């Protein structure tokens, strides 16, 4: 766990925004590690991400950063400039729940990345409508909840899932090829906090069986998309996409095979960027800071 | 002009197809340069492309290939095996008409590739609903027809265009960012012989202003697609696609810029493969032989 | 295990090769599933891969294919035409040994692909100079040999490894980020049967610490390469390569992160293609049939 | 020509750099269009690019920016903070000389991009050791100098070229497949002001005939690289690279064909970024601001 703070800002664009923020950080002695900003000229919006170090440093004589003092000093500036902002500090790792069905390639990938330190979070909970993931959950020593879902039990299953998410203080839900459509009620309490991977290059091939649809259309590239989940199916803000070349030689099962590699990559990138507080949503789009 | 013959075959799959074709070619002394076949197991179809040399060769003692004799011998075999087939010989270069509007990047690209020998064809005709291309046509010494198109004059303009295509014995029409929709009557006489470039990753963003639509949806990759034109807009068999990465920093005009490079590449590849007789259409899809 | 036979051929190019092979297969009633050939005109070489089904089929009335009879009939033809050839039948799965050191991303990836059926082989043995892989080996129930390697013990360790490979009838050795250089004596008995992944775009950055070298040179893309191991370091026939974009923002550790995804993909593709008998080596290059 | 100023800064990293620069710009009323910074933590360096608008705006009541006043106020700050800096204003378009030999694909591409407004510069001069480019230069109405180069005349030719570059006040030299090696004397007066395209994925295949070398090595991807020219052959700071997939089917001439598309793209991007003042060199590397 790196001892850093991340400040994310979006607000109407106007002169002097960077000057105000960077001057305050300078006055309080912040050792800035990364800073990035973005202006959407068409919409007149400004976005900023700053990451700085919190810990003191005996070598340089830096004291620990006074994060409480910063928050107090920054709040009136933010109010004056109409900023929406979030300040994240590394005193608490984000808590992530993984959902899956019977295909486990994304789960295997995410869990290894987590174990090897690539994903900086806690994973207190795995939920599936199948049992295939049980041995993997056991291998990683993570509690596993099996919630079978049928048309009749969907509502009950979602209620149970939601209560577990609350109980475990889950910050982020990752749908790692979870093949159930979540209700609007499920999604509502987690705005920009549920990440799904869809196995097509959205907005092409929304919905079920996208590889079949791609094969039928005769496309020459297939894709995968990670996005935040909203109430509207496969229509939330896109976080990442990637594609792979296919040819007339590839049958549907070849597309499925090829696509798994894309799904792993676009989902794991999205989760990582979310955990690193690199993503800002606005409208139905994302800013992903480098 | 390489002195070669190309045979394209598609037919119901059955045992012995390759043996029959390759044995006949061997018996007639063909010097095969490339051969490729494809089976669509789901549909039970077989596709084949064979290219062999026509000219004699004093060094090896090879006589010129008897193409007439081959055709006579092959016809009954093809009939017996229910083959659809085409035999192309290099005695006549394909004749291509280029259509464009005011954006000339694809035209500049195609004409240079043609001049440098990359596209093996005649280009006896350039047609545009604008005059921007006139100096370029003059530079390459190609007759240019200006046919302004309005809602009222569309039918007349198309009739004029069609009569010129016939008069010039055009084999292939290339729509190099020609921003008019062709009528079903125009398309009908040129099945799998009109190639268009669409500035999106089809089937996403069919129709007008695809870069605007891509920007609005917040995609992370943009694409371009070359395809054969059918009566249904942007829905013909896809020949080639490519994509480029974009980010939140890219405004619509950046997507347009970035997209031009994709359009050039996917269109020129499609034209080249068509001219090299590498493409077979079936259903609404293409086989593109390597 | 698909009940198929695969025939791989390379020989001097001459007329009639396809006719001879395909006619024999037709006469013996083979149901061909895939066939592909390649001519290297510069070197006058011919390469072919044919895969056909072995099992009988009650529906079509096909009897089981007489593979012994085919081999007997084909041998004299092959001799006459100077063919080098191999005939693989699916009566026995290839046996693969995995080697690794302390980085396990490729191991995790390969083992999951194996378990999910993507890699059609037996994995009777995992060997490492570290113990990090032990829990993973246990999870997949695969015997694990720990052979620490120092300058002094290298020879002894290799002798022990070789004896295990022989004892387990290993057909293919996969170096999944095994960070030891194998001696020529180790490599000799396994020509085109040891696959390594090198974490650079070969031939750039041969040898140790390629990501550091790539960062120092300021490249804008990093790569990974899978190749057959020969006695000369990082110089064997290349099977697959892939690249990812990096920028000035990426430090060495970012390249290492990014590179892991490339390594997984290029290594797993190479192993799969090898197992599917798609690869022919000639000179220091590979033909990889689609 | 957009009425903007661009400030490029590099200096030792320390706290408060962004605050100082952005506060001064705010005080002087700058309307910032883009700002980006980069820290190289390993080397302790800081890089910044800011672009702001110069023209006044009646609608917003903005007066024209006082660029002279800014320069005067900024100089002492820059001195205090050990900054190297350059301030570019759009009062004068950069002047570019294009060099080529007999292959014209990059020339055709660059000139069209220039004509269509994608490259914001003057092109007062084309120089070649062949005459193939003469009609193209005439078409675009650009003076063309033919300087044949042999071992004996190299020095004289370079002297003539240099005198023309001076006479035309050339800011940037673009080697658009100019197949002559420039002497150190030629390069010296143009540090980070000569851009070359090399037809390989550097540092692989330095020097002559890289496609032949790539084919001989059996690589599965070919590349192209644009870079600033230094006295050491193909070893200057890399600006951009791209790759394309090839296979065993591709002969050297296919690599050459495929490579042309890469060369066009990586060279035109480098020229554009240079003209937009997006590139900072440090050590032997580049920062390319988005």
């Amino acid at each position: 766990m790196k001892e850093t703070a991340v400040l994310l800002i979006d607000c109407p664009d106007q002169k002097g925004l960077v000057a105000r923020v960077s001057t305050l950080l300078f006055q309080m002695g912040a050792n800035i590690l990364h800073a990035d900003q973005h202006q959407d000229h068409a919409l007149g919006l400004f976005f900023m991400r700053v990451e700085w170090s919190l810990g003191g440093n005996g070598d340089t004589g830096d004291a620990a950063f006074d994060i409480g003092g910063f928050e107090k000093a920054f709040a009136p500036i933010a109010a004056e400039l109409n900023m929406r902002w979030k300040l994240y500090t590394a005193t608490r790792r984000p808590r992530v729940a993984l959902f899956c069905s019977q295909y486990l390639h994304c789960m295997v990938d995410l869990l290894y990345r987590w174990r090897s330190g690539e994903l900086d979070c806690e994973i207190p909970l795995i939920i599936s409508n199948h049992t295939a993931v049980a041995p993997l959950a056991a291998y990683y020593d993570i509690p596993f909840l099996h919630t079978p879902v049928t048309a009749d039990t969907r509502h009950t299953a979602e209620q149970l899932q939601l209560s577990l998410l609350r109980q475990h203080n889950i910050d982020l839900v990752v749908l790692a090829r979870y093949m159930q459509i979540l209700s609007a009620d499920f999604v509502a309490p987690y705005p920009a906090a549920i990440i799904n991977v869809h196995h097509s290059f959205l907005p092409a091939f929304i919905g079920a069986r996208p590889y079949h649809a791609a094969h039928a259309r005769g496309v020459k590239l297939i894709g995968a998309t990670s996005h935040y989940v909203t109430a509207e199916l496969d229509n939330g803000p896109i976080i990442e996409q990637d594609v792979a070349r296919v040819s007339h030689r590839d049958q549907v099962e070849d597309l499925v095979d090829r696509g798994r590699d894309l799904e792993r990559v676009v989902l794991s990138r999205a989760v990582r960027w979310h955990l690193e507080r690199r993503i800002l949503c606005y409208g139905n789009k994302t800013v992903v800071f480098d």
Side-chain angles (χ1 to χ4, degrees), chain A residues 72-230:
Chain A
K72 207 172 296 177
F74 182 67
I77 297 177
E80 177 196 336
L81 299 168
N82 280 314
M83 288 173 170
R84 292 193 307 166
W85 58 287
K86 283 192 187 163
L87 180 64
Y88 300 96
T89 56
T91 51
R92 176 178 167 284
R93 271 205 184 84
R95 297 172 63 81
V96 178
L98 302 180
F99 281 53
C100 66
S101 293
Q102 75 271 45
Y103 301 120
L104 301 182
H105 52 286
C106 285
M107 291 296 289
V108 167
D109 185 67
L110 289 171
L111 287 167
Y112 175 72
R113 291 177 197 268
W114 170 66
R115 172 64 49 90
S116 68
E118 205 178 299
L119 300 177
D120 194 13
C121 62
E122 309 287 338
I123 304 183
L125 188 58
I126 290 173
I127 292 179
S128 179
N129 58 333
H130 289 74
T131 57
V133 79
L136 193 65
Y139 178 74
Y140 283 105
D141 224 357
I142 300 173
F144 162 57
L145 170 71
H146 177 222
T147 53
V149 177
T150 64
D152 285 350
T153 64
R154 177 180 314 276
H155 181 72
T156 318
E158 283 196 352
Q159 291 308 310
L160 175 58
Q161 292 164 352
L162 278 171
S163 76
L164 259 102
L165 297 183
R166 278 189 298 266
Q167 186 181 320
H168 284 277
N169 293 312
I170 295 301
D171 302 297
L172 175 69
V173 173
V174 177
L175 307 180
R177 296 299 309 272
Y178 181 64
M179 307 307 283
Q180 296 292 324
I181 296 173
L182 298 173
S183 72
D185 285 350
F186 189 101
V187 172
Y190 292 97
I194 306 176
I195 295 178
N196 183 43
V197 60
H198 184 72
H199 38 314
S200 85
F201 183 84
L202 289 176
F205 310 125
I206 286 176
R209 294 165 67 86
Y211 291 127
H212 288 77
H215 186 255
R217 181 61 187 92
V219 295
K220 300 299 184 184
L221 297 166
I222 57 165
T225 304
S226 52
H227 63 96
Y228 286 118
V229 175
T230 59

Side-chain angles (χ1 to χ4, degrees), chain A residues 2-7 9 17-37 48-55 57 60 62-65 67 70 74 87 278 290:
Chain A
K2 287 179 294 181
E3 296 281 317
T4 66
V6 173
L7 176 65
I9 296 171
L17 293 167
V18 173
R20 293 292 289 275
V21 176
S22 58
T23 298
L24 177 61
L25 282 165
F26 178 49
Q27 286 166 346
M28 298 196 59
N31 182 20
I32 293 177
L33 301 172
H34 299 284
D36 202 0
Q37 60 266 5
M48 189 173 190
R49 179 185 186 275
V50 199
E51 181 173 3
W52 66 94
S53 144
L54 285 178
N57 184 332
T60 60
D62 280 357
F65 186 85
I67 191 74
F70 173 80
F74 182 67
L87 180 64
R278 300 189 172 282
D290 290 327

